[in-house]
Amino acid sequence: NEPIKAVADGTVIFSSWTEDTGNVIGVQHQGNIISFYKHNAVLLKKQGDFVKAGDVIAIIGNTGRLSSGPHLHFEMWYKGNAVNPEKFVSF
């Protein structure tokens, strides 16, 4: 039941179920950056919601056909291309 938090301020552009990655939430940030959080047990925000950095947006889970146990699949995209999140976020 670990909370998933938004990495930066932004607007939720996707909050739904996909067969492969289960419950997915996507957040559009400034500078053409989008963050995706996949395999969530529960989605706490809906499309159109504004979130602040650190807001809880989902609960970690094990959903979707491609899941291999409870975990967070995190992605960042810049101008439509996947990028290394460590270039944008301090972990």
Side-chain angles (χ1 to χ4, degrees):
N1 291 325
E2 291 293 320
I4 304 300
K5 298 177 181 179
V7 296
D9 295 356
T11 301
V12 176
I13 59 168
F14 186 85
S15 182
S16 192
W17 171 266
T18 70
E19 184 177 335
D20 286 346
T21 55
N23 289 315
V24 177
I25 194 162
V27 180
Q28 174 75 57
H29 309 284
Q30 288 185 345
N32 293 311
I33 296 172
I34 299 174
S35 58
F36 285 101
Y37 313 77
K38 300 179 176 183
H39 303 294
N40 303 292
V42 177
L43 301 174
L44 301 175
K45 301 294 181 182
K46 62 183 187 300
Q47 187 172 341
D49 286 350
F50 180 78
V51 296
K52 299 287 257 175
D55 283 355
V56 176
I57 59 174
I59 302 297
I60 201 165
N62 181 28
T63 60
R65 185 173 54 86
L66 300 178
S67 188
S68 58
H71 71 287
L72 169 64
H73 179 128
F74 176 73
E75 297 177 3
M76 287 198 83
W77 291 72
Y78 175 68
K79 293 186 176 179
N81 297 300
V83 295
N84 181 346
E86 290 180 330
K87 293 182 178 183
F88 297 90
V89 179
S90 296
F91 292 98

